Amino acid sequence: MEIGLSLGLQSDEGGLKLSLSECGCHVKDISIELEGGASWFYQGMVNAFKDQIGASVESTISNKLTEGVSDLDSFLQSLPKEIPVDEKAALNVTFTSDPVLRDSSITFEIDGLFTKTEMNQVLKSSLRKTVPSAICPENSKMLGISLDEAVFNSAAALYYNAEFMQWIVDKVPGQDLLNTARWRFIIPQLYRKYPNHDMNLNISLSSPPLVKISEQYVGANVNANLVIDVLEADQVIPVACISLEIRGSGALRVMGNNLGGSVKLEDFSMSLEWSNIGNLHLHLLQPIVWTVIQTVFVPYANDHLEKGFPLPIIHGFTLENAEIICSSSEITICSDVAYLDSQQRRSRLSLPRSTPLITTML
């Protein structure tokens, strides 16, 4: 028996559409042998209708294949076009081009940018690049997911535009830091004008963080304003604003089906934006600002980064033995895949290592 079918797979309004071009089944020969006391009687009848039985088998198999392709097409079209990250953001996982079939792999290109409105559409047309034939070394893993640094920068832009990157620091490990008495030798005029007053530090980013990825380094540059507020009765009095340029390095890791990480402070510089209390000696302020960044800003960022964001994995599947490879302007996650069945047991897929699935997020 020979069975053949020809399929078409293409993107359709951000989803995938599977179509059946040709389908056929040919029964070259069929042998039916009956056993039992009266088998000699019925065997002749079976032999007489052998061709009709073969034709019925061909028709049934063809119909079942057509139904199966239709069911698979319905499943592909039901795939979500965005994956919620939190109440502010979602990951756009619409397909941006037709899948690319090669001898040993199939490649899907998805949008991959973080979005909640239409704010990131301008990025799309400028991020197209040639999709590589293989993104994991020697096709060593079942699945490869390539993420351009634009994915991370779209997340940063979204949260920045949502005014999520603003903090009022009113508690620190050394609480005396937030009293003008602690600053009397650093900014004497502040203490003279507001003796023993409590303070707040108002930190807000002045632009979205910029993530840069290279073979040796994953880093981010953050521009922020630090406003020193003095609390007097029921008033909050801004007295000075310091501009910060913070440079940090990051470490990425895969946690389940999420990509998370952490950052650490590498260096920062600062300049005085304005002051209502005269000139400030910034070199004296540097240790305090370093302490604030290390004890407040970095832990806050890491709390959110450790949760990670979801990778575009079909529900029911999970990553195993994932590796992260950094290259110029992108990272690649190479992983095996397991299926989590209804009994919550992991079932290893039988997909051969020479046939990986490649997903590119641009």
Short mmCIF file of all heavy atoms in Angstrom, two decimals, residues 179-180 183-184 186-197 199 228-230 239 277 280:
data_model
loop_
_atom_site.label_atom_id
_atom_site.label_comp_id
_atom_site.label_asym_id
_atom_site.label_seq_id
_atom_site.Cartn_x
_atom_site.Cartn_y
_atom_site.Cartn_z
N ASN A 179 17.72 61.14 55.93
CA ASN A 179 17.56 62.28 56.83
C ASN A 179 18.68 63.26 56.53
O ASN A 179 19.83 62.85 56.28
CB ASN A 179 17.62 61.84 58.29
CG ASN A 179 17.25 62.97 59.24
OD1 ASN A 179 18.05 63.86 59.51
ND2 ASN A 179 16.01 62.92 59.76
N THR A 180 18.35 64.54 56.51
CA THR A 180 19.35 65.54 56.13
C THR A 180 20.56 65.55 57.07
O THR A 180 21.64 66.00 56.68
CB THR A 180 18.72 66.94 56.11
OG1 THR A 180 18.15 67.22 57.40
CG2 THR A 180 17.63 67.04 55.05
N TRP A 183 23.50 63.96 55.66
CA TRP A 183 24.08 64.67 54.52
C TRP A 183 24.77 65.98 54.93
O TRP A 183 25.21 66.72 54.07
CB TRP A 183 22.96 64.99 53.52
CG TRP A 183 22.25 63.80 52.95
CD1 TRP A 183 21.56 62.84 53.64
CD2 TRP A 183 22.13 63.45 51.57
NE1 TRP A 183 21.03 61.92 52.80
CE2 TRP A 183 21.35 62.27 51.50
CE3 TRP A 183 22.59 64.02 50.39
CZ2 TRP A 183 21.04 61.64 50.30
CZ3 TRP A 183 22.27 63.40 49.19
CH2 TRP A 183 21.51 62.22 49.15
N ARG A 184 24.87 66.22 56.22
CA ARG A 184 25.35 67.55 56.63
C ARG A 184 26.79 67.83 56.23
O ARG A 184 27.16 69.00 56.07
CB ARG A 184 25.18 67.72 58.15
CG ARG A 184 25.99 66.80 59.04
CD ARG A 184 25.62 67.03 60.50
NE ARG A 184 26.39 66.21 61.42
CZ ARG A 184 26.10 64.96 61.75
NH1 ARG A 184 25.02 64.40 61.20
NH2 ARG A 184 26.86 64.29 62.58
N ILE A 186 28.14 66.34 53.48
CA ILE A 186 28.18 66.15 52.03
C ILE A 186 27.55 67.35 51.33
O ILE A 186 28.11 67.90 50.38
CB ILE A 186 27.45 64.85 51.65
CG1 ILE A 186 28.10 63.65 52.35
CG2 ILE A 186 27.44 64.65 50.14
CD1 ILE A 186 27.33 62.36 52.19
N ILE A 187 26.37 67.76 51.81
CA ILE A 187 25.70 68.96 51.30
C ILE A 187 25.34 69.83 52.50
O ILE A 187 24.20 69.80 53.00
CB ILE A 187 24.42 68.60 50.49
CG1 ILE A 187 24.70 67.49 49.47
CG2 ILE A 187 23.87 69.82 49.77
CD1 ILE A 187 23.48 67.04 48.69
N PRO A 188 26.30 70.59 53.01
CA PRO A 188 26.03 71.37 54.24
C PRO A 188 24.84 72.31 54.11
O PRO A 188 24.07 72.48 55.06
CB PRO A 188 27.35 72.15 54.44
CG PRO A 188 28.38 71.35 53.70
CD PRO A 188 27.67 70.76 52.53
N GLN A 189 24.68 72.92 52.94
CA GLN A 189 23.60 73.87 52.77
C GLN A 189 22.22 73.20 52.87
O GLN A 189 21.23 73.84 53.26
CB GLN A 189 23.74 74.64 51.44
CG GLN A 189 23.66 73.80 50.18
CD GLN A 189 25.00 73.24 49.73
OE1 GLN A 189 25.86 72.93 50.56
NE2 GLN A 189 25.18 73.12 48.41
N LEU A 190 22.15 71.93 52.51
CA LEU A 190 20.90 71.20 52.65
C LEU A 190 20.54 71.05 54.12
O LEU A 190 19.39 71.27 54.52
CB LEU A 190 21.02 69.82 51.98
CG LEU A 190 19.82 68.87 52.18
CD1 LEU A 190 18.56 69.44 51.53
CD2 LEU A 190 20.15 67.48 51.61
N TYR A 191 21.53 70.69 54.93
CA TYR A 191 21.27 70.50 56.36
C TYR A 191 20.95 71.83 57.05
O TYR A 191 20.09 71.90 57.92
CB TYR A 191 22.48 69.85 57.02
CG TYR A 191 22.29 69.62 58.49
CD1 TYR A 191 21.41 68.65 58.98
CD2 TYR A 191 23.00 70.39 59.42
CE1 TYR A 191 21.24 68.46 60.33
CE2 TYR A 191 22.84 70.19 60.78
CZ TYR A 191 21.95 69.23 61.23
OH TYR A 191 21.78 69.04 62.58
N ARG A 192 21.64 72.90 56.64
CA ARG A 192 21.38 74.20 57.26
C ARG A 192 19.96 74.69 56.95
O ARG A 192 19.29 75.27 57.81
CB ARG A 192 22.40 75.23 56.76
CG ARG A 192 23.80 75.03 57.34
CD ARG A 192 24.64 76.28 57.14
NE ARG A 192 24.82 76.58 55.72
CZ ARG A 192 25.87 76.13 55.00
NH1 ARG A 192 26.79 75.35 55.57
NH2 ARG A 192 25.97 76.44 53.72
N LYS A 193 19.49 74.44 55.73
CA LYS A 193 18.16 74.92 55.33
C LYS A 193 17.06 74.01 55.87
O LYS A 193 15.96 74.49 56.23
CB LYS A 193 18.08 75.00 53.81
CG LYS A 193 16.82 75.69 53.30
CD LYS A 193 16.90 75.94 51.79
CE LYS A 193 15.68 76.69 51.29
NZ LYS A 193 15.75 76.98 49.85
N TYR A 194 17.34 72.71 55.95
CA TYR A 194 16.34 71.74 56.43
C TYR A 194 16.98 70.82 57.47
O TYR A 194 17.24 69.64 57.19
CB TYR A 194 15.78 70.91 55.26
CG TYR A 194 15.19 71.73 54.14
CD1 TYR A 194 15.90 71.95 52.96
CD2 TYR A 194 13.91 72.28 54.26
CE1 TYR A 194 15.35 72.68 51.91
CE2 TYR A 194 13.35 73.02 53.22
CZ TYR A 194 14.07 73.22 52.05
OH TYR A 194 13.53 73.96 51.02
N PRO A 195 17.25 71.30 58.65
CA PRO A 195 17.93 70.46 59.66
C PRO A 195 17.03 69.31 60.14
O PRO A 195 15.87 69.52 60.47
CB PRO A 195 18.23 71.46 60.78
CG PRO A 195 17.22 72.53 60.62
CD PRO A 195 16.96 72.65 59.16
N ASN A 196 17.63 68.11 60.14
CA ASN A 196 16.96 66.90 60.66
C ASN A 196 15.60 66.63 60.00
O ASN A 196 14.66 66.19 60.66
CB ASN A 196 16.78 66.99 62.18
CG ASN A 196 18.12 66.98 62.90
OD1 ASN A 196 18.99 66.16 62.60
ND2 ASN A 196 18.29 67.91 63.84
N HIS A 197 15.53 66.91 58.73
CA HIS A 197 14.32 66.62 57.98
C HIS A 197 14.44 65.25 57.30
O HIS A 197 15.51 64.88 56.81
CB HIS A 197 14.07 67.69 56.91
CG HIS A 197 13.44 68.95 57.46
ND1 HIS A 197 14.00 69.71 58.45
CD2 HIS A 197 12.27 69.57 57.11
CE1 HIS A 197 13.24 70.76 58.71
NE2 HIS A 197 12.17 70.69 57.91
N MET A 199 13.70 62.61 54.22
CA MET A 199 13.86 62.82 52.78
C MET A 199 13.28 61.63 52.00
O MET A 199 13.13 60.53 52.54
CB MET A 199 15.35 62.99 52.42
CG MET A 199 16.05 64.12 53.13
SD MET A 199 17.86 63.93 53.01
CE MET A 199 18.08 63.80 51.24
N ILE A 228 16.14 64.72 44.75
CA ILE A 228 16.20 64.72 46.21
C ILE A 228 15.04 65.54 46.74
O ILE A 228 14.92 66.74 46.45
CB ILE A 228 17.54 65.29 46.71
CG1 ILE A 228 18.72 64.49 46.14
CG2 ILE A 228 17.58 65.31 48.23
CD1 ILE A 228 20.08 65.10 46.43
N ASP A 229 14.15 64.88 47.49
CA ASP A 229 12.98 65.55 48.07
C ASP A 229 13.15 65.66 49.58
O ASP A 229 13.58 64.71 50.23
CB ASP A 229 11.70 64.76 47.78
CG ASP A 229 11.33 64.75 46.31
OD1 ASP A 229 11.67 65.72 45.61
OD2 ASP A 229 10.71 63.75 45.87
N VAL A 230 12.78 66.80 50.11
CA VAL A 230 12.76 67.02 51.55
C VAL A 230 11.30 67.04 52.01
O VAL A 230 10.45 67.68 51.37
CB VAL A 230 13.47 68.33 51.94
CG1 VAL A 230 13.28 68.62 53.43
CG2 VAL A 230 14.96 68.26 51.60
N VAL A 239 14.58 69.55 45.98
CA VAL A 239 15.68 70.50 46.21
C VAL A 239 16.80 70.37 45.17
O VAL A 239 17.55 71.33 44.96
CB VAL A 239 16.26 70.35 47.63
CG1 VAL A 239 15.22 70.72 48.68
CG2 VAL A 239 16.78 68.94 47.87
N ILE A 277 19.52 74.53 46.06
CA ILE A 277 20.32 74.73 47.28
C ILE A 277 21.78 75.01 46.94
O ILE A 277 22.68 74.75 47.74
CB ILE A 277 20.22 73.50 48.21
CG1 ILE A 277 20.53 72.22 47.44
CG2 ILE A 277 18.83 73.41 48.84
CD1 ILE A 277 20.59 70.98 48.32
N LEU A 280 26.49 71.48 44.08
CA LEU A 280 26.73 70.25 44.82
C LEU A 280 28.07 69.65 44.41
O LEU A 280 28.46 69.69 43.24
CB LEU A 280 25.62 69.23 44.54
CG LEU A 280 24.17 69.67 44.76
CD1 LEU A 280 23.22 68.50 44.49
CD2 LEU A 280 23.98 70.19 46.18
#
